[in-house]
Amino acid sequence: MTLRLPTRPSGRPLVMGVVNVTPDSFSDGGRFFDLDAAVAHGRELVAQGADLLDVGGESTRPGAQRPSEHDELARVLPVVEALADLAPISVDTMRAGVARACVEAGAAIVNDVSGGLADPDMASAVAALQVPYVAMHWRGHSHDMQTRTQYDDVVADVLRELEQRRDALLSAGIDPSLLVLDPGLGFAKTAAQNWTVLAGLDRFAGLGQPLLVGASRKSFLAQVGSRDGEPVPADERDAATAAVSVVLAQAGVWAIRVHEVRSTVAACDVVAALERARA
């Protein structure tokens, strides 16, 4: 049975709350690595207004080393099983085996930051599973991705590389109505390049697929709000994240991926209220 892509609420994007089941997340330092803590966090995000939950067992912060597939699955599968009746669950994984197991356990979406490049079996697995698939712009694994920031024109190059992934994924049998694209803020991009991609977001609509964007707490926001030149710590970047969420809501993206849900829900509600007033 094909799972349909969740639809946007009237006038605003879906808000995807992040549940990191990792010991080395850049955003929360492993606070939710324990099963009970992860499940409680997922429930709290839904109470704050999350429409979707994104459960991941592999940190993708710059420099992170990969866990084994066994360890990744041991981290995420119990959380997916515990939260699947609460909200649509996205499993954040680059591995086809993890994707299959989590969909069988109740996950409704596969969110692959590698866009199918990290595992040659991913595209065919997702096509067979018939679930929504998020494919992000990606140039390499976390341990060296920040050595891959050479672009002639970052927006044009990211667009071209995402278009190539879109075409390859559709050729592999993924239903176009289930494919979401992500420009990959924070991945193989400098701070300045992230801002340029964000400024050129309207051009990504030309790819013809819904967009998911995740800017939450990322390092390119580290100077937003700083008054002494020192970077703002990751867990203090939620105000900057909410401001970016306004921009994303105005751009009409399908979903916004965030660590702190309440402020982004409020930001999206402000945009929706203004749109209704203008109408």
Side-chain angles (χ1 to χ4, degrees):
M1 181 180 69
T2 301
L3 291 175
R4 303 176 74 176
L5 187 69
T7 56
R8 282 169 40 112
S10 178
R12 70 166 180 86
L14 293 160
V15 177
M16 176 184 281
V18 178
V19 182
N20 285 321
V21 196
T22 60
D24 54 349
S25 167
F26 85 95
S27 65
D28 54 48
R31 288 174 55 204
F32 310 114
F33 187 49
D34 174 77
L35 172 60
D36 290 342
V39 172
H41 184 55
R43 293 185 181 280
E44 175 61 20
L45 293 176
V46 171
Q48 291 179 4
D51 303 294
L52 312 167
L53 294 175
D54 193 42
V55 178
E58 176 177 351
S59 174
T60 52
R61 63 175 175 79
Q65 298 300 311
R66 304 196 72 189
S68 69
E69 181 167 341
H70 176 272
D71 286 348
E72 182 186 352
L73 196 54
R75 294 172 183 180
V76 297
L77 192 59
V79 181
V80 170
E81 291 172 338
L83 294 174
D85 291 336
L86 185 65
I89 302 298
S90 164
V91 57
D92 180 356
T93 186
M94 293 182 271
R95 290 180 166 122
V98 175
R100 289 190 196 96
C102 288
V103 169
E104 290 174 3
I109 300 168
V110 176
N111 180 15
D112 179 0
V113 299
S114 81
L117 290 170
D119 185 339
D121 294 331
M122 181 65 91
S124 59
V126 172
L129 290 168
Q130 296 182 304
V131 296
Y133 181 62
V134 181
M136 196 191 78
H137 174 260
W138 187 81
R139 283 185 160 190
H141 286 290
S142 297
H143 70 274
D144 69 349
M145 69 178 177
Q146 291 310 107
T147 68
R148 304 171 185 265
T149 61
Q150 293 76 34
Y151 299 88
D152 293 325
D153 176 323
V154 66
V155 175
D157 291 353
V158 172
L159 273 168
R160 183 183 66 255
E161 292 170 25
L162 262 185
E163 182 177 28
Q164 292 168 350
R165 291 313 304 150
R166 178 201 66 190
D167 293 347
L169 293 166
L170 297 180
S171 295
I174 292 176
D175 186 329
S177 72
L178 299 178
L179 180 61
V180 176
L181 300 177
D182 179 343
L185 296 178
F187 288 78
K189 298 171 187 71
T190 66
Q193 288 167 346
N194 285 308
W195 287 113
T196 300
V197 170
L198 192 57
L201 196 63
D202 58 323
R203 295 172 59 184
F204 288 83
L207 293 170
Q209 303 299 139
L211 294 179
L212 178 144
V213 181
S216 182
R217 297 182 179 175
K218 290 186 176 176
S219 60
F220 79 99
L221 300 177
Q223 290 300 319
V224 176
S226 174
R227 291 296 175 265
D228 58 8
E230 293 298 314
V232 176
D235 62 358
E236 296 178 18
R237 298 174 193 165
D238 293 331
T241 297
V244 174
S245 294
V246 170
V247 175
L248 298 176
Q250 290 172 328
V253 303
W254 169 72
I256 303 173
R257 182 181 182 274
V258 291
H259 299 87
E260 196 278 315
V261 164
R262 194 185 306 277
S263 58
T264 283
V265 169
C268 291
D269 285 348
V270 167
V271 174
L274 285 172
E275 290 180 355
R276 288 193 298 270
R278 291 189 181 112

